[in-house]
Amino acid sequence: MAYEYLGEELALVIPLPEKSCAKEKVVQIRYPASRTEVNDGLIGQFRRLSKAISALKSGTQA
């Protein structure tokens, strides 16, 4: 199934086929075992922002 990540909105859009709303739908996201960094979303952005601010304060590059 295809998906789209909207970085500006920090949203993952997963289109689902039209089905009855009376039945539960489960969306399961699996990451490859080789991928250790899964915080590319909000947590990852705050981590990078924190590093950038520290670099600006100290006068070094992030």
Side-chain angles (χ1 to χ4, degrees), residues 3-23:
Y3 65 89
E4 178 182 9
Y5 178 71
L6 305 175
E8 301 84 25
E9 298 180 25
L10 302 174
L12 179 65
V13 178
I14 303 172
L16 299 174
E18 289 189 28
K19 299 273 182 167
S20 169
C21 291
K23 187 173 180 185

Side-chain angles (χ1 to χ4, degrees), residues 4-62:
E4 178 182 9
Y5 178 71
L6 305 175
E8 301 84 25
E9 298 180 25
L10 302 174
L12 179 65
V13 178
I14 303 172
L16 299 174
E18 289 189 28
K19 299 273 182 167
S20 169
C21 291
K23 187 173 180 185
E24 177 184 13
K25 286 125 185 106
V26 177
V27 176
Q28 187 175 31
I29 300 172
R30 296 184 186 159
Y31 294 96
S34 61
R35 183 169 179 195
T36 57
E37 181 60 52
V38 295
N39 291 329
D40 290 338
L42 185 59
I43 294 171
Q45 287 189 7
F46 278 117
R47 182 182 302 120
R48 291 186 291 278
L49 178 63
S50 175
K51 287 180 182 179
I53 290 171
S54 295
L56 283 172
K57 287 181 179 179
S58 67
T60 61
Q61 282 190 327

